[in-house]
Amino acid sequence: MAITSSRIRAARSTQQPSCRPLPAARGATFSFGNDGGNLRPARTDVYADGRVSTGTTRLTRAAVAALAHEARSGGFWALHPAPITRPPSNPDAARHFIVVRLSCGTRRAEYAGDGPPAFAVLLARLDSATAAR
């Protein structure tokens, strides 16, 4: 009996684990910033307990959970890398990146210039939530 691709997809969709934010002891829930080009590299980490690695800002656990929900259901989790892999990323082009760590896995997205709307929205929300007040 041959296994068809539709059966494989159906099996994977029924076995998908629940996706909850990682506990604070297991590391950063979000990392984002910029890298490359003529910009000074910058990185901000947001931990599951609300701590932010830069500045004195602290988020509530509910705010971090809302950001995790946005990443999972707002389209970020479905982003795929660009199909063109040659040449690799241009070292002279500044890129924005977001790394999201959840219990169901880790996703990294990196774009030079404007990225897809799901990336831009999540980056704006992360930047707004962690900005000094």
Side-chain angles (χ1 to χ4, degrees):
M1 178 179 184
I3 297 177
T4 63
S5 61
S6 61
R7 284 186 182 175
I8 292 171
R9 281 193 300 270
R12 286 183 185 156
S13 67
T14 59
Q15 296 173 357
Q16 186 175 18
S18 63
C19 191
R20 296 178 306 255
L22 289 172
R26 296 204 42 208
T29 303
F30 296 94
S31 297
F32 67 98
N34 61 316
D35 194 15
N38 61 354
L39 299 176
R40 175 177 278 171
R43 177 182 174 142
T44 300
D45 296 318
V46 178
Y47 299 93
D49 64 356
R51 289 178 293 132
V52 178
S53 65
T54 57
T56 59
T57 304
R58 186 168 180 96
L59 304 177
T60 64
R61 289 179 189 258
V64 175
L67 288 168
H69 183 267
E70 170 70 26
R72 182 71 170 136
S73 64
F76 176 82
W77 210 253
L79 291 177
H80 297 287
I84 299 171
T85 58
R86 297 278 180 219
S89 61
N90 181 353
D92 295 331
R95 299 173 304 280
H96 294 288
F97 69 89
I98 302 174
V99 180
V100 179
R101 293 176 188 90
L102 302 175
S103 62
C104 54
T106 300
R107 291 283 194 274
R108 178 183 174 91
E110 182 176 312
Y111 292 97
D114 294 333
F119 179 85
V121 167
L122 184 59
L123 183 62
R125 289 202 174 132
L126 286 165
D127 197 33
S128 171
T130 59
R133 299 167 205 254

